[in-house]
Amino acid sequence: MERAVGSRSGDRADGDGRGRRRRCRWRPLRSLRQIGRLKVAPAARVARRPGSVNGRKEHRDVFSDRRDAGRRLAARLQHLRGTPGLVVLGLPRGGVPVAAEVAASLHAPLDVIVVRKLGVPRQPELAMGAIGEDVRVVNDRVVELAGVTETELAAVERLERTELERRTKRFRGDREPIELSGAVTVLVDDGIATGSTARAACDVARAAGAARVVLAVPVAPRQWQRQLVGVADECVAVETPADFRAVGEWYRDFAQTNDDEVVRILAQAAEG
């Protein structure tokens, strides 16, 4: 190892005015003391590339799958354990595996809640109500402002009820639904984005006679409770990230839950 000593190289004028380049003299370092005086630039920090979930940046508290999410959600609902008349309802399809873990932890019966939104005929994304088994909830203000007639409302309901009955029969088979009259009902989904389906489920559960409605999800937007003011009596979420974009980003495994899995989970729960 060597270092330069003496003057820096450069053009200097001598006595006769002619430019003369002075040469730097180099000599080897001879002791550790001299080495210690050297200023060494700090090593550059190497940025580690974060992991990813579904092609996006991995979050610290991401769920392994829906069952893992259900177990972690159940830990937030232990204050309900032992509540008389407690019922856990999963929203199909993805909410059912989550709800199964919650029901097992709370020692509560598990069922499915199938709801269908009633969309305005000329603007189907705008909900004017919702239906469940033997229940209909209608937003009279939306119906009036949209100019929906009774005939149009009835036609939309017939169409949606046909699909509701098909799905209910597929999921539950010949078993009777759990009675919700006077029950403390925990509605569970695998996450909330817009909240429209959750709102419809809460409305249907309350119309079916539920004394108290608790909406519980593993992940939801930061201000999600503001969307559901007056709809649920209690809202519980494990994660409410500020950078929420989609439910699936918060799961390592977010494979679609199929009908057969829902049927199997509900059958196992019914057998006890």
Side-chain angles (χ1 to χ4, degrees), residues 3-9 22-27:
R3 67 170 180 172
V5 296
S7 301
R8 298 174 57 185
S9 61
R22 295 188 60 180
R23 299 177 61 186
C24 285
R25 293 188 302 145
W26 296 83
R27 66 186 181 191

Side-chain angles (χ1 to χ4, degrees), residues 19-260:
R20 181 169 61 88
R21 182 179 297 276
R22 295 188 60 180
R23 299 177 61 186
C24 285
R25 293 188 302 145
W26 296 83
R27 66 186 181 191
L29 294 172
R30 299 185 182 278
S31 69
L32 292 176
R33 180 178 298 177
Q34 288 177 305
I35 295 175
R37 295 194 191 107
L38 291 177
K39 293 183 178 180
V40 181
R45 298 182 63 182
V46 179
R48 299 182 64 183
R49 187 175 182 177
S52 64
V53 178
N54 297 333
R56 295 181 174 87
K57 183 178 178 182
E58 182 175 3
H59 296 277
R60 181 183 61 184
D61 294 316
V62 73
F63 306 107
S64 297
D65 54 22
R66 288 181 176 86
R67 290 195 175 276
D68 174 51
R71 288 189 288 269
R72 293 171 60 180
L73 179 59
R76 300 292 184 94
L77 296 167
Q78 290 302 305
H79 61 285
L80 297 174
R81 188 171 181 175
T83 300
L86 184 65
V87 176
V88 176
L89 302 178
L91 277 77
R93 301 179 182 90
V96 174
V98 183
E101 297 295 330
V102 172
S105 177
L106 300 182
H107 300 292
L110 172 68
D111 202 354
V112 65
I113 180 167
V114 181
V115 299
R116 300 291 295 178
K117 289 179 289 186
L118 302 177
V120 172
R122 291 163 294 278
Q123 195 176 353
E125 68 277 5
L126 176 61
M128 59 180 174
I131 58 171
E133 298 174 74
D134 302 321
V135 174
R136 184 182 81 167
V137 180
V138 176
N139 188 323
D140 293 328
R141 179 168 175 77
V142 173
V143 170
E144 180 182 356
L145 291 176
V148 179
T149 66
E150 285 294 333
T151 301
E152 291 175 323
L153 176 59
V156 172
E157 181 179 352
R158 280 195 303 271
L159 180 65
E160 295 298 340
R161 190 162 293 283
T162 298
E163 177 61 17
L164 182 144
E165 291 174 353
R166 184 196 69 79
R167 299 187 74 185
T168 301
K169 179 69 173 178
R170 174 76 176 97
F171 295 143
R172 193 185 290 121
D174 296 328
R175 294 188 302 275
E176 291 294 323
I178 294 177
E179 178 62 48
L180 297 185
S181 180
V184 176
T185 305
V186 182
L187 301 180
V188 179
D189 205 351
D190 54 10
I192 282 183
T194 64
S196 59
T197 301
R199 176 182 291 273
C202 290
D203 289 341
V204 166
R206 202 176 297 279
R212 180 174 173 80
V213 176
V214 179
L215 180 59
V217 294
V219 62
R222 177 63 55 88
Q223 304 298 333
W224 74 297
Q225 294 180 355
R226 294 183 180 180
Q227 305 173 26
L228 300 163
V229 172
V231 177
D233 298 297
E234 183 180 356
C235 296
V236 178
V238 178
E239 297 293 338
T240 55
D243 59 343
F244 179 90
R245 291 186 297 271
V247 172
E249 290 187 358
W250 292 82
Y251 288 81
R252 290 192 178 91
D253 179 2
F254 198 63
Q256 184 176 7
T257 303
N258 57 42
D259 287 356
D260 290 339

